[in-house]
Amino acid sequence: MRTRDRHGRGLRGPLALPNPYTHRPMPVPQAPRGTRLFLACVEDAIARMASHAPDVIRNVDIGVDEVPDVRALWSNGDYGDAIPLASATDAQPGQNARIVLFRRPLEHRAADQSQLRELVHETLVDQLVALTGRSIDEIDPDDGDQ
């Protein structure tokens, strides 16, 4: 009987059998994956920004999209052949500034979960620097110290 987690589908074999006392299968804590993991990374990055410079993110809407719109990239030619990790737009009358983080390109560049967390944070800091004109040291004074 196999007891390994095949293809990420959960436990197999005796470990997956119901508990003799509760008659329920053993609950297995699962680390977040995919979209849930990415959203957790974004929330962590926003929390770090809020602790260092809350005034910087006060009037900024931060969102997540799967991939950038390729048609818009080709039409304005800003990026050349590169795929952007995020997009920032300045505030308009009656509308906050916006930052959109692109999940797939960021995940593609990260080797593991910790690198993804750091890449999301760095990308958010870069976009805030571009929007506000403030220095990286003002926005994230302990850059690299997690």
Side-chain angles (χ1 to χ4, degrees):
M1 184 177 283
R2 294 182 180 188
T3 59
R4 63 189 176 113
D5 182 4
R6 298 181 62 205
H7 307 289
R9 295 185 188 134
L11 292 173
R12 300 283 191 256
L15 290 177
L17 294 175
N19 183 322
Y21 302 111
T22 62
H23 304 291
R24 291 188 204 138
M26 187 63 113
V28 179
Q30 300 245 339
R33 290 185 266 184
T35 305
R36 288 189 310 142
L37 172 65
F38 189 79
L39 291 176
C41 293
V42 171
E43 289 173 2
D44 290 346
I46 292 171
R48 282 176 65 182
M49 290 294 98
S51 68
H52 295 303
D55 59 315
V56 173
I57 62 170
R58 185 170 296 127
N59 294 323
V60 177
D61 296 333
I62 300 171
V64 172
D65 204 355
E66 288 291 310
V67 293
D69 185 9
V70 178
R71 292 170 295 177
L73 294 177
W74 284 341
S75 66
N76 64 14
D78 289 343
Y79 296 102
D81 291 337
I83 302 295
L85 303 178
S87 173
T89 34
D90 292 322
Q92 302 294 324
Q95 185 178 19
N96 290 338
R98 291 182 180 178
I99 295 176
V100 178
L101 299 169
F102 301 120
R103 182 172 82 90
R104 296 289 182 163
L106 284 163
E107 286 177 340
H108 184 70
R109 285 166 178 80
D112 58 7
Q113 290 181 1
S114 63
Q115 193 176 18
L116 179 62
R117 285 187 190 284
E118 194 56 37
L119 185 59
V120 167
H121 176 72
E122 289 173 5
T123 304
L124 183 59
V125 169
D126 290 343
Q127 295 301 313
L128 287 170
V129 166
L131 276 178
T132 63
R134 296 169 106 181
S135 71
I136 292 176
D137 294 331
E138 286 182 71
I139 294 176
D140 188 23
D142 55 324
D143 187 26
D145 304 339
Q146 190 146 336

